[in-house]
Amino acid sequence: MRESSVSVRVFQVASGMIVSGALCLAPAATQGQSDENAQQILELTNQDRTAHGLKPLEWDANLAAAAAAHADRMADAKSLSHQYPGEPDVAARAAQTGAHFQAVAENTAMGPSPSGIEKQWMTSVPHRTNILDPQMNSIGIGVAEKGGYLYAVEDFANSSQTMTKEQVEQKVSDLLRDEKIDPSGPRDAAEQTCAANSGIPAGAGARAVVRFETPNLNELPSQVAQQLRSGQFTKAAVGACPPSRTQGSFTTYRVAVLLY
């Protein structure tokens, strides 16, 4: 019998998945309840993050539900995979449970114990990268036991709560103030501009417009920052609207900035 593990990462900006794995010999299996095993893995994962100066991951019940369902499927198949025939991928599984996120990643493993699985993950670069990713802030873990072995799934996410239109506009306005731009321009005109695919509403009086969709409202997209740092503009209007396309539970914001 061999112990094995697989890692996968999915980001909204990526075109696909990165999958890799590692193999090593497994010692004798131990017994334990699934929830207790999941709790032990959570504690060990957060201990490893803390030891590297990172914040602990918060438990996410939606991610845990997705991880538990997939762990059961691995145990039934007696194999490791991120996606079995007819099964959604990790992002879709997380979305189906109600999770909202900017990025997701997954570790899977079969091993003798929580500590053995965590050690295996930490000695494999792809799995260690998922565990020590500073962008991830939440986790759900599922463990199934079969044939004396544990089948474990860690689902990580950069979780985000859906913001209202007003909250998005306020967030972008704050970022504009940081760039010494007054964001007090006509919000109605900016919202109309956001909803349109091109052009500027008549009477808006803006000199330029930038439209963008982003999962990250902690910083302005580069094209917006470049416009602002040109020195041509001192005032702006911010408008938000629904994104042009759905991304499952990947949280995306659509914004238009009129520049004056």
Side-chain angles (χ1 to χ4, degrees), residues 175 178-179 181 219-233 259:
L175 293 172
D178 292 341
E179 296 290 341
I181 300 294
E219 61 182 8
L220 292 168
S222 59
Q223 72 268 32
V224 180
Q226 289 171 6
Q227 289 274 18
L228 299 179
R229 292 164 189 168
S230 68
Q232 302 178 57
F233 311 104
L259 298 170

Side-chain angles (χ1 to χ4, degrees), residues 113-203:
S113 64
S115 60
I117 288 171
E118 181 69 14
K119 181 178 180 181
Q120 178 192 174
W121 280 334
M122 285 298 291
T123 54
S124 166
V125 173
H127 307 90
R128 179 187 176 93
T129 297
N130 286 343
I131 290 171
L132 301 182
D133 187 341
Q135 299 302 315
M136 298 300 181
N137 56 24
S138 59
I139 189 173
I141 301 169
V143 181
E145 187 171 358
K146 193 165 188 177
Y149 275 80
L150 303 180
Y151 293 81
V153 177
E154 283 187 318
D155 283 346
F156 306 87
N158 182 339
S159 296
S160 59
Q161 295 182 347
T162 302
M163 300 172 69
T164 66
K165 175 171 64 68
E166 291 75 16
Q167 289 173 326
V168 172
E169 291 171 350
Q170 184 60 53
K171 184 71 172 178
V172 176
S173 294
D174 291 342
L175 293 172
L176 290 172
R177 289 190 186 95
D178 292 341
E179 296 290 341
K180 311 303 181 185
I181 300 294
D182 174 11
S184 63
R187 186 163 292 183
D188 288 348
E191 290 176 353
Q192 292 177 39
T193 303
C194 183
N197 291 325
S198 62
I200 301 175

Side-chain angles (χ1 to χ4, degrees), residues 162-166 168-169 190-197 211-214 239-247 250-256:
T162 302
M163 300 172 69
T164 66
K165 175 171 64 68
E166 291 75 16
V168 172
E169 291 171 350
E191 290 176 353
Q192 292 177 39
T193 303
C194 183
N197 291 325
R211 294 177 176 85
F212 61 90
E213 293 190 22
T214 180
C241 59
S244 60
R245 59 190 183 281
T246 58
Q247 298 284 340
F250 283 111
T251 303
T252 305
Y253 306 101
R254 185 180 184 186
V255 181

Side-chain angles (χ1 to χ4, degrees), residues 69-91:
H70 190 64
D72 286 340
R73 189 147 187 175
M74 291 197 311
D76 289 341
K78 296 182 180 179
S79 66
L80 298 182
S81 175
H82 290 289
Q83 186 176 11
Y84 292 98
E87 182 187 34
D89 64 19
V90 58

Side-chain angles (χ1 to χ4, degrees), residues 20 64 68 86 92 99 105 107 126 172 188 215 218:
S20 57
N107 285 348
V172 176
D188 288 348
N218 293 320

